[in-house]
Amino acid sequence: MNAGSAGSAGNTTRRIPVNVRALGFVSLLTDAASEMIYPLVPIFVAALGSGAIVLGVIEGVAETTASMLKLISGLLSDKLKKRKLLVVIGYTISSLVRPLTGLVGAAWQIVLVRMADRVGKGIRTAPRDALIASSAEEQIRGRAYGFHRAMDHAGAVIGPLLAVCTLFILVFLCNITDTTRILRAAFLLAIVPGVGAIAIVALFVRESVDINTIGKPFTFSLRRFDRNFIIYLFVVTFFTLGNSSDAFLLFRANEALHTSGALYRWMYGAPVFSALLTHFGDTEAQKRLVDILFLPLVWAYFHVIKVIFSTPLGALSDRIGRKKVITIGWAIYTFVYVCFALLDRLPGNWQIAATLALFGVYALFYAFTEGAEKAFVADLSAGELRGSAFGMYNFAVGLGALPASVIFGLVYGAFGGGAAFGMGAAVACVSMLLLWTMVRGRGG
């Protein structure tokens, strides 16, 4: 039994522990702050005069920075046997740095802000995941991680909606019609939910480590990890090479819809939107406003699907096995990337419907994989090395993140979105086969 569940030994072990719930609310607020910014970054990058290649560098460098630190913080949390301290430090850094996106003057400066934001994420993620594992018994681990991801995605629904409300207020009440100024203001306001996240993690999350690890000296060696776990990390790394930043999906949808003009024509025909658009300026400025309004709403809808399905599909891995659930998720990813490769070939009105449908299906990829992948890491690692195991897992993901997004951006810039998304689908398909044939799973 672990320290996080000792107090509930006489009761049911099926309830999600208080620590997991508290960390869920922290993630909700953090993601609300992050997603006030993230879906608008492709538009902001374009407004600053850059495109897909710069976007790939921004996202690749940011995620790789985070993943390097996840390994270090995971090792450190095992050595110190203190998870919470690192979690508090990580959330504090991200929450205070992230809104500075609103102050940058050039696209390359976003790299610095995103790197600092990801430093915070890198410090907190592995200790937080280990804290969840120590707080939840194995029988409900998939459900616990699924719940945490659901709360994270709930924040990602709230964030874009807050951004859209901010945009309406700035346009109607403040009479600001410059899109860059509007974006900057929305980014700066992201500090509000971030401060709330810091308060909750500092006041309500309790330290929790496995009792059977207390007093044991910490030693790190790859030989202490199961060979099956190392193979799993290899397969995850390969999958990540084709798993570019989700910012490219937003970029692709924005590119197709902006070029066809279908979304602009549809919104201009709706009375509630036409009044806003005519108030905003010339046709090109109106089209940019349509992009700014549509992408956060799509992103919020995308996360609504994640919220609904993350907990039950995480729990599904407790019943039928982690590997089966992850394989289904990767198959969905392959299908969605093939469809995004063909998005610009559809008639304009069909592009709107296809964008909504594809983001809904893509959300299921996350619901199937996020909780199951982390629960699989916990299953395949010993308690005294769990922080290190999560650090290695996140490092493996980050190892492919920089080349994945940079290569994707280069292919996108040179050959177009169809080639880039086709490449991602091919890598995902091969990864799915490797997972199924090379990795042993518990119960499937």
Side-chain angles (χ1 to χ4, degrees):
M1 184 177 298
N2 57 50
S5 59
S8 61
N11 302 317
T12 179
T13 60
R14 299 299 176 183
R15 294 185 62 185
I16 294 175
V18 173
N19 243 18
V20 177
R21 280 182 274 161
L23 286 168
F25 279 103
V26 171
S27 286
L28 183 149
L29 290 173
T30 300
D31 236 47
S34 179
E35 302 302 340
M36 287 181 69
I37 298 173
Y38 185 80
L40 295 171
V41 166
I43 299 172
F44 193 49
V45 168
L48 294 174
S50 298
I53 295 175
V54 172
L55 185 62
V57 172
I58 290 171
E59 293 304 309
V61 170
E63 292 306 320
T64 298
T65 300
S67 298
M68 297 290 184
L69 285 168
K70 286 172 188 175
L71 176 59
I72 296 171
S73 68
L75 294 170
L76 189 60
S77 75
D78 281 340
K79 182 175 180 61
L80 298 177
K81 299 206 169 30
K82 292 184 181 296
R83 319 285 195 198
K84 178 180 174 178
L85 176 62
L86 294 171
V87 173
V88 172
I89 292 172
Y91 276 113
T92 301
I93 292 173
S94 291
S95 297
L96 298 182
V97 166
R98 188 183 301 115
L100 297 180
T101 307
L103 301 180
V104 304
W108 66 266
Q109 294 170 358
I110 301 176
V111 177
L112 303 179
V113 177
R114 287 281 287 161
M115 281 181 64
D117 178 10
R118 298 295 91 175
V119 164
K121 185 176 178 65
I123 291 172
R124 72 180 183 255
T125 299
R128 182 203 64 205
D129 289 343
L131 192 57
I132 293 173
S134 297
S135 301
E137 293 191 357
E138 183 177 352
Q139 293 85 346
I140 62 165
R141 205 169 272 154
R143 182 171 168 232
Y145 283 112
F147 169 81
H148 179 263
R149 297 310 302 160
M151 293 295 283
D152 186 88
H153 298 321
V157 174
I158 295 169
L161 295 179
L162 288 175
V164 170
C165 290
T166 301
L167 297 175
F168 273 101
I169 291 170
L170 291 172
V171 172
F172 280 116
L173 299 184
C174 302
N175 201 34
I176 300 175
T177 57
D178 180 82
T179 52
T180 305
R181 287 181 63 194
I182 292 172
L183 291 171
R184 292 183 187 280
F187 296 162
L188 290 171
L189 288 173
I191 195 169
V192 177
V195 170
I198 297 171
I200 291 177
V201 73
L203 297 176
F204 297 104
V205 173
R206 296 179 179 273
E207 184 64 83
S208 177
V209 295
D210 295 281
I211 288 178
N212 60 6
T213 70
I214 297 174
K216 290 185 178 181
F218 171 76
T219 56
F220 176 79
S221 170
L222 288 178
R223 294 180 180 178
R224 298 189 65 189
F225 291 94
D226 184 85
R227 182 172 179 270
N228 192 46
F229 175 68
I230 300 300
I231 295 173
Y232 174 58
L233 293 186
F234 165 77
V235 175
V236 167
T237 303
F238 186 78
F239 174 78
T240 307
L241 288 173
N243 185 10
S244 61
S245 168
D246 288 345
F248 282 110
L249 276 76
L250 294 167
F251 189 87
R252 175 68 164 168
N254 181 57
E255 177 185 62
L257 292 170
H258 189 90
T259 300
S260 70
L263 183 62
Y264 170 73
R265 291 191 297 272
W266 178 82
M267 292 186 71
Y268 199 84
V272 65
F273 291 116
S274 62
L276 173 64
L277 293 175
T278 54
H279 172 81
F280 202 72
D282 60 23
T283 300
E284 189 57 34
Q286 292 172 9
K287 287 184 176 181
R288 287 197 299 270
L289 178 62
V290 168
D291 297 338
I292 291 173
L293 291 174
F294 182 68
L295 290 187
L297 292 175
V298 169
W299 200 240
Y301 150 75
F302 168 59
H303 284 283
V304 167
I305 308 299
K306 287 185 179 181
V307 171
I308 294 171
F309 290 101
S310 285
T311 301
L313 292 181
L316 180 65
S317 75
D318 293 327
R319 297 194 298 274
I320 70 171
R322 318 295 186 201
K323 192 171 80 168
K324 288 179 181 176
V325 173
I326 295 168
T327 302
I328 293 170
W330 287 6
I332 291 172
Y333 180 95
T334 303
F335 168 77
V336 169
Y337 261 53
V338 169
C339 292
F340 264 100
L342 304 173
L343 183 63
D344 61 345
R345 300 188 183 185
L346 293 174
N349 289 335
W350 282 96
Q351 289 177 3
I352 301 173
T355 297
L356 294 173
L358 287 174
F359 271 99
V361 175
Y362 187 58
L364 294 178
F365 151 69
Y366 279 102
F368 270 103
T369 59
E370 285 183 321
E373 286 184 10
K374 291 187 176 183
F376 205 14
V377 172
D379 291 347
L380 299 179
S381 57
E384 67 271 18
L385 291 174
R386 198 158 279 149
S388 304
F390 277 109
M392 291 174 64
Y393 165 76
N394 287 297
F395 176 75
V397 171
L399 193 63
L402 177 58
S405 289
V406 172
I407 292 171
F408 195 96
L410 290 172
V411 173
Y412 202 123
F415 304 104
F421 279 97
M423 175 187 69
V427 173
C429 187
V430 174
S431 301
M432 182 174 56
L433 296 174
L434 290 175
L435 177 70
W436 192 252
T437 58
M438 295 180 63
V439 180
R440 299 189 312 276
R442 295 187 182 183

